[in-house]
Each structure stands twice: as structure tokens, then as C-alpha cells.
Amino acid sequence: MRPSIVTIPDLKKKAVTGEKIVMLTAYDYSFARFVDEADIDIILVGDSLGMTILGYDSTVSVTMDEMLHHAKAVRRGVKRAFIVADMPFLSYQVSEEDAVRNAGRFLKEAGCHGVKLEGGVDMAQVIKRVVKAGIPVMGHIGLTPQTVTALGGYKVQGKDAESAGRLVEDALAVEDAGAFAIVLECIPAGLAGLISQKLSIPTIGIGAGLDCDGQVLVVSDILGLFERFVPRFAKQYVNLAPQIRQAINDYAAEVREGRFPSAEHSFQDGDIPDLAPRAEDRG
Ligand code: KIV
């Protein structure tokens, strides 16, 4: 594993001094480079790639092999950021041994710096075991997409006193288990602020208001690349989809009309001996 420049103590220090932590997803080499060059603190190889890149209906279908494939590509594009990989559904719930083995693969095979897994009190023992093996773990509570069916859909969590209390307990259990940070997804801003005050580890919000120690969003959402489902909490900073469609249509039209390639994108006769393979080389 190649070390990142951003470290866990850096992230904890930011939370203490009030400097916001910035986290964003990336799923491949090119986007990892863009995100890293913007000095984002944490790059998440999120299992949201199941929907945004692989076209599944939810994150439930994502496999370890798929996550590792994307995590390796991201790793190759990153020089500075702390890289966290999402543990996919059923890679950590079946047994603690499975959880340690699978989490370890993200460090050993993909060069990531930590893993994220969903769940609170129920997952505390698993987090403890993975952390004990020397693998940094980020928790994730609130709206947990891997169990969205059990939660009754993509809904704000912790809206009444009882469920809010359970989320506080979940957050404390994740911290006690040794997680280095926790994602709070889709919970009321006041509750996220309260949890952030109670915890000493950094809280990273997504649809959880301003009072978290940092924020995370899905890169496809902020760039307008995933049109099938845009959560209300996701701010679109640019809408690239229409520009991409336009570029592809322009290319197709130019080819069909014989306008591409022009002389600028063609080689002249003098280039042929250097560039074209000889007939005998082609076999
Ligand atoms: O998979 C993902 O991208 C995530 C973020 C939404 C936090 O878990």
C-alpha cells in the first residue's frame, strides 16, 4: 500500500480545529486524478458505482471483484488523498473473518487506505474486528443504501425521537468500536449536529446539514452525469450530460457527412512510411 499524504491524524485535526473535511467519490483513473488535483481530502470508491457506472438498480448487487477493479483504477490516479473503499453488501455481514479478509483485500490488492461499511450497533463487533486487524474503518449510518429495502425506501432517517435516539446510539457504538470517522446520510440537520457534538471522531454528512465536520457527495451527481435518480441533497455544480450528448451527436454527424477527419486530424502522404506497419509485420 502506497501511503497517502492526507492521514487520519490530519482528518481528526481538521475536525478539532473546525476546518471542513471534503470527501467525494471517484470510480476510475481519470476522475480520481481530477478529484485528487482539487485537493479533496478523502476519495471514496463508493459502491454507488453499482448504479452510476455499472447500471444496477441499487448497490446490493455490487461484488468484491467489481469494487476491487474500480479501487485499483482510482489508486493509480491518486497522489495525495486518503482513499476509502466501500465494502459491498454481504462482504462483511456473514462473518467477522470474511469482513477482515475482504477489508484487507482493499489495502493489500488495491492500495486503499481504509474501508467504509454500513451499520451501527449491529455492526459494532465487525468494525472492532476489522480495526483490530489494523484496517482503518469509516462507519456509515442513517440512510444506508445497502439495506434500503428494509428501511422502506430512500427516506430521511431519525425524524422521530425514538429513531433519532437509535441513531445516536449507532453513532456512539461505531465510535466505540474504533472507527476513525463516520458518514451520516440523510438525517435531519439538528440531529447530525448533535451527533457531531457527541462524537470525537469526524462526522461526514450527506444530506445531513452543515453542522458535520465534513461533507461527501457522489461525483456523478455534482457533475450531472447520472440522470436516473438525483437525490434532493445533491447539488449539481455543472450539468455535463447535455454537453456530452451534443459532442457525441456532433461527432456522429461529422462522420456521416464526411467532415471528420479533416486535414488537421489526418496524416499526410510523407507520414506513411513512419506510421503504417509494413505488410510483412502485419503477418
Ligand atoms: O457509495 C457511496 O457513494 C456512498 C456515499 C453516498 C456516502 O456511500
Side-chain angles (χ1 to χ4, degrees):
M1 179 181 57
R2 204 157 14 110
S4 67
I5 305 283
V6 178
T7 63
I8 291 174
D10 292 335
L11 298 170
K12 291 195 167 162
K13 192 169 158 206
K14 283 192 180 209
V16 169
T17 60
E19 194 186 333
K20 294 287 186 186
I21 296 167
V22 191
M23 172 163 150
L24 188 62
T25 67
Y27 311 116
D28 64 21
Y29 171 78
S30 321
F31 273 87
R33 287 191 57 156
F34 286 131
V35 176
D36 197 47
E37 282 164 18
D39 282 354
I40 298 291
D41 301 302
I42 305 173
I43 295 184
L44 173 66
V45 189
D47 62 353
S48 48
L49 67 81
M51 297 166 83
T52 60
I53 303 294
L54 302 177
Y56 295 140
D57 288 337
S58 76
T59 59
V60 169
S61 311
V62 178
T63 65
M64 272 301 294
D65 285 345
E66 287 164 343
M67 286 304 301
L68 282 166
H69 176 74
H70 286 275
K72 287 177 190 174
V74 167
R75 169 71 273 193
R76 290 191 280 269
V78 172
K79 293 200 174 92
R80 176 189 173 274
F82 192 89
I83 307 172
V84 174
D86 248 339
M87 297 199 63
F89 184 56
L90 289 195
S91 69
Y92 57 97
Q93 293 93 337
V94 177
S95 73
E96 289 170 22
E97 287 72 21
D98 260 10
V100 173
R101 200 171 295 113
N102 285 323
R105 292 187 69 192
F106 284 109
L107 274 65
K108 281 178 70 137
E109 296 174 35
C112 294
H113 307 111
V115 298
K116 175 165 82 57
L117 60 87
E118 297 180 6
V121 171
D122 291 346
M123 283 298 143
Q125 195 52 39
V126 171
I127 295 175
K128 211 173 262 178
R129 273 295 299 276
V130 176
V131 170
K132 201 168 166 208
I135 301 165
V137 175
M138 174 179 278
H140 182 161
I141 62 164
L143 175 55
T144 44
Q146 292 175 7
T147 44
V148 72
T149 310
L151 293 175
Y154 292 95
K155 293 180 182 155
V156 179
Q157 302 295 303
K159 285 210 293 195
D160 57 66
E162 197 190 331
S163 58
R166 275 201 304 271
L167 282 176
V168 173
E169 278 171 30
D170 282 336
L172 290 169
V174 167
E175 172 170 88
D176 287 348
F180 73 89
I182 185 168
V183 169
L184 307 178
E185 178 162 354
C186 227
I187 67 175
L191 175 60
L194 177 76
I195 292 174
S196 300
Q197 274 172 18
K198 280 185 179 289
L199 298 191
S200 58
I201 56 172
T203 58
I204 313 287
I206 173 164
L210 254 185
D211 291 331
C212 298
D213 300 306
Q215 298 291 328
V216 56
L217 281 177
V218 166
V219 71
S220 325
D221 289 339
I222 71 168
L223 300 180
L225 290 173
F226 185 65
E227 296 173 301
R228 216 171 73 202
F229 169 70
V230 183
R232 202 190 108 192
F233 56 69
K235 179 168 174 183
Q236 196 177 80
Y237 287 83
V238 61
N239 189 8
L240 289 180
Q243 294 178 47
I244 292 172
R245 276 197 197 93
Q246 186 63 54
I248 294 170
N249 283 328
D250 288 350
Y251 162 70
E254 288 191 9
V255 171
R256 288 184 185 123
E257 291 160 15
R259 287 190 290 126
F260 177 85
S262 62
E264 183 196 352
H265 298 106
S266 304
F267 300 106
Q268 305 313 314
D269 285 350
D271 299 330
I272 291 172
D274 295 325
L275 294 166
R278 286 175 310 197
E280 58 269 29
D281 292 341
R282 277 188 251 124

